[in-house]
Amino acid sequence: MVFGPLSGQRSLFLTAQEANLLARKTSREKSARLRTITNNLAAPILSVTLLLAWQFGVGAFGLSEFILPTPWQIVRRIATDPQVLLSNAAITLSEVLAGFLLAAIGGVATALAIFYSTLFERAVYPILVAFQTIPKVALAPLLVLYLGYGFAPKCFLAFLLAYFPVVMSTVVGLQALDKSMVNLARSMGAVEWQIFLKIRLPAALPNVFSGLKVAISLSVIGAVIGEYVAAASGLGYMQLQASSQFDTTLSFAAMVVIGLIGVALFLAIEAVEHRVVFKREAAK
Amino acid sequence: MNIQATTRSPAADEPKIHGVNVVFEALSKAYETREGGEVLALDRTDLTISPGEFVAIVGPSGCGKSTLLSLTAGISEVTAGRITIDGEEVKRPHPTVGVVFQTDLLLYWRTIIDNIMLPIEIKGWDKRSYLPKVMQLLEQVGLSGFGGKFPSELSGGMRQRVAICRALVQEPRLLLMDEPFGALDALTREQMISDLQAMWLSLRNTVLFITHSIEEAVFLADRVLVMSPRPGKIDLDLKIDVARPRSWKSLGEQNFINYMGEIRAIFESRGILSRAAT
């Protein structure tokens, strides 16, 4: 008996051997499904456990809300002040998005220049790497001096933090392409823009997206740090205000919202990635 | 690009000689090394390939056989001498040439059909009018029904078949193959070699086939060229006078054995194969 697509015709009745195989297959499928369910539940279960430990730990150790509020107190605080949190979140979000978009566009453009021009690579690459070693957070006070207290320094700081990973991963993605792939396209008479659009770009996209995913988290950090240094609005500013007024719960609430923004943006990029990038493993 | 090219559609298939003639005149190729020196990969090689001829080039690694192929494909530049295809000097990739490399080089994000369509897309021809041609090719290589699949769903042998379809879809009058079966397991290779012969018998285009394998060369080719290493030169030009279609059984026949012995003798005299090993 031949199995699989090679067997020309199938008999209506299963042999004992086939029935056995089939049964084993379904039980294997069942255990695989169970494994997926437990894998998917692992993170929620752990999170809930930690939150419960926090909630009851605070009571057990008799900590005051001013030292460490419970998760429930934080949730309640968010629910009572949603307006303030939302309006500040909108400001932070706009800084993050503007900085991120600049970094994405500028980063990919820089990567292309590095890839296509040896001169540019020789001239700019070492400077970029050197600049990357400077802790950019240290630039925040200077940025306030140059760009003022408003939107610009936060957006710029978000851009600065996010830019480098986009450049690096895009360059790596472009350089990873098998040279014979390019030769093949050339032999078909392809010119460079065709090779770029049909081969180089799609081949580099997984790397570009891994850069973008790192970049989005970093631009959230950049914007919030910018707000810590000097600002009149935004979640970072709000958090700082709350701390100075010993309103620890509000400080935590702002932190939760910052975290939610980061997660939401990360998931948004992942969703775009799923639409645009064909995963090598997906077909397996 | 001219207007004729954009409206091109597949030609009606009549199996007559479809090949071009290829002429190498005093062809040399030198590469620059990292240290700034020069390595002569190919030294004043002369060769004439007739239309519809199947020519195999055998030689050890580094003998310049792949260089010869990439020069013919127009993807690397000639140092001295010239190559002409049907009298036209090769200065850029010739539109009627298809290339198959050792690895399949399929784009993993494209379906099988879209991979085969790549040259049609690049040339800006009408993809829809080539769909029947793609289907016919897939059927010929035993892959009908796989058109919508992705390369990762296929075995190595299947993928290399797709690569051959991709080279054939534009109906090339010259097919260049650079060790196309080198990465396949022995059984798959044997099957692919038989299939290639059958396909070529129906197409009758000119083929330049590069290989490490003496057996493969003798089985497939009308003419086997043996190249010597560094600088590459043609050492032996052997006409294989065996009726087609050839079968693996005929490999045991005396004339086949004699041809293979003759090629082996060249390698022995060059010290590439030791007498004890043969």
Side-chain angles (χ1 to χ4, degrees):
Chain A
M1 198 82 221
V2 186
F3 294 102
L6 283 176
S7 60
Q9 63 248 53
R10 286 192 76 93
S11 102
L12 272 176
F13 303 100
L14 296 175
T15 63
Q17 204 187 4
E18 277 180 309
N20 191 6
L21 265 176
L22 205 64
R24 238 187 290 167
K25 199 176 155 214
T26 44
S27 88
R28 209 165 43 228
E29 272 167 7
K30 216 181 274 172
S31 70
R33 211 175 316 141
L34 203 68
R35 213 163 34 235
T36 346
I37 292 171
T38 37
N39 281 348
N40 287 343
L41 284 179
I45 289 173
L46 182 64
S47 315
V48 169
T49 313
L50 288 175
L51 284 172
L52 286 174
W54 178 1
Q55 178 76 29
F56 294 108
V58 170
F61 289 102
L63 298 173
S64 75
E65 185 178 348
F66 150 65
I67 300 289
L68 183 65
T70 65
W72 184 238
Q73 283 167 332
I74 296 166
V75 169
R76 271 202 338 239
R77 188 57 191 267
I78 293 173
T80 51
D81 278 342
Q83 220 52 49
V84 191
L85 278 161
L86 273 180
S87 62
N88 281 296
I91 287 159
T92 305
L93 185 65
S94 66
E95 294 158 358
V96 170
L97 283 178
F100 172 75
L101 282 179
L102 278 177
I105 295 165
V108 171
T110 311
L112 287 176
I114 287 174
F115 180 73
Y116 279 111
S117 156
T118 319
L119 178 67
F120 192 86
E121 185 192 351
R122 293 269 163 80
V124 173
Y125 209 51
I127 299 174
L128 266 180
V129 173
F131 189 72
Q132 180 58 13
T133 58
I134 300 173
K136 272 170 283 306
V137 176
L139 289 174
L142 290 172
L143 288 179
V144 173
L145 182 65
Y146 302 143
L147 299 172
Y149 293 88
F151 177 81
K154 288 91 181 173
C155 169
F156 194 68
L157 207 57
F159 160 78
L160 273 186
L161 260 73
Y163 173 72
F164 193 73
V166 178
V167 177
M168 280 307 287
S169 53
T170 308
V171 168
V172 168
L174 287 169
Q175 285 172 345
L177 186 69
D178 187 348
K179 201 153 183 311
S180 7
M181 201 54 246
V182 176
N183 279 336
L184 175 81
R186 288 224 173 94
S187 79
M188 297 170 180
V191 288
E192 184 47 45
W193 67 265
Q194 285 178 313
I195 297 176
F196 178 75
L197 282 183
K198 291 187 194 301
I199 296 162
R200 291 193 203 278
L201 181 66
L205 270 185
N207 288 76
V208 175
F209 269 95
S210 66
L212 290 178
K213 284 194 277 191
V214 174
I216 193 72
S217 318
L218 287 174
S219 46
V220 174
I221 295 174
V224 172
I225 287 173
E227 290 170 354
Y228 282 165
V229 176
S233 57
L235 290 168
Y237 163 78
M238 199 182 164
Q239 212 191 349
L240 219 59
Q241 285 297 102
S243 297
S244 68
Q245 289 158 14
F246 304 108
D247 189 350
T248 317
T249 314
L250 185 61
S251 186
F252 265 98
M255 197 161 67
V256 168
V257 178
I258 292 169
L260 288 177
I261 286 178
V263 171
L265 290 176
F266 186 89
L267 290 178
I269 291 181
E270 226 174 29
V272 176
E273 183 186 18
H274 276 296
R275 290 198 67 106
V276 179
V277 180
F278 183 86
K279 281 264 166 55
R280 215 183 257 269
E281 309 78 41
K284 285 249 162 145
Chain B
M1 191 167 299
N2 60 40
I3 295 151
Q4 230 176 347
T6 54
T7 54
R8 196 187 131 141
S9 55
D13 43 306
E14 68 272 19
K16 58 179 175 213
I17 290 188
H18 179 61
V20 289
N21 90 307
V22 186
V23 181
F24 301 83
E25 291 166 42
L27 190 67
S28 297
K29 173 72 183 176
Y31 287 107
E32 265 176 50
T33 59
R34 261 169 215 276
E35 293 80 39
E38 276 203 340
V39 172
L40 200 55
L42 207 60
D43 189 18
R44 287 160 294 162
T45 302
D46 292 298
L47 176 67
T48 302
I49 303 174
S50 325
E53 201 171 22
F54 196 123
V55 174
I57 299 182
V58 206
S61 307
C63 73
K65 53 193 196 306
S66 292
T67 304
L68 196 66
L69 187 129
S70 65
L71 292 174
T72 316
I75 50 184
S76 101
E77 250 177 82
V78 169
T79 309
R82 60 185 214 141
I83 306 172
T84 57
I85 295 178
D86 267 358
E88 192 187 325
E89 188 169 352
V90 175
K91 290 201 163 131
R92 63 190 70 80
H94 196 278
T96 189
V97 175
V99 190
V100 180
F101 291 94
Q102 182 171 9
T103 49
D104 53 74
L105 298 174
L106 296 180
L107 303 173
Y108 66 85
W109 58 87
R110 284 177 172 236
T111 61
I112 298 308
I113 289 179
D114 285 342
N115 264 291
I116 298 175
M117 285 289 192
L118 185 67
I120 304 301
E121 235 177 272
I122 285 175
K123 286 165 202 280
W125 296 344
D126 178 26
K127 275 170 64 173
R128 249 175 322 164
S129 70
Y130 274 88
L131 198 59
K133 173 83 193 166
V134 172
M135 291 313 191
Q136 181 211 326
L137 281 168
L138 280 174
E139 203 190 316
Q140 257 181 336
V141 299
L143 288 177
S144 35
F146 284 86
K149 297 237 186 283
F150 287 93
S152 57
E153 297 173 274
L154 271 58
S155 71
M158 289 164 144
R159 284 206 296 269
Q160 195 61 338
R161 282 162 197 273
V162 175
I164 292 171
C165 292
R166 179 181 55 194
L168 291 178
V169 69
Q170 42 168 331
E171 295 160 334
R173 297 178 61 207
L174 172 62
L175 184 59
L176 303 173
M177 304 182 96
D178 190 0
E179 295 176 36
F181 308 139
L184 302 178
D185 66 89
L187 285 174
T188 311
R189 223 185 91 220
E190 217 165 273
Q191 185 60 48
M192 298 276 287
I193 291 169
S194 312
D195 291 353
L196 178 63
Q197 175 183 238
M199 225 184 292
W200 175 75
L201 283 173
S202 70
L203 287 173
R204 287 293 182 171
N205 51 3
T206 309
V207 181
L208 185 60
F209 185 93
I210 283 169
T211 178
H212 274 131
S213 156
I214 298 172
E215 202 178 60
E216 204 170 275
V218 172
F219 183 95
L220 281 168
D222 297 322
R223 230 169 118 196
V224 176
L225 307 175
V226 179
M227 283 187 81
S228 65
R230 270 178 222 287
K233 279 210 113 176
I234 294 168
D235 257 7
L236 177 74
D237 187 341
L238 186 66
K239 207 164 160 45
I240 308 295
D241 213 354
V242 178
R244 293 189 190 265
R246 299 169 186 168
S247 72
W248 289 102
K249 253 184 262 160
S250 53
L251 263 189
E253 285 163 16
Q254 198 53 48
N255 50 356
F256 257 123
I257 295 172
N258 291 345
Y259 286 132
M260 290 201 275
E262 208 169 323
I263 295 166
R264 260 172 211 289
I266 290 276
F267 286 135
E268 280 169 15
S269 70
R270 294 265 163 195
I272 291 150
L273 282 173
S274 70
R275 253 163 258 271
T278 57

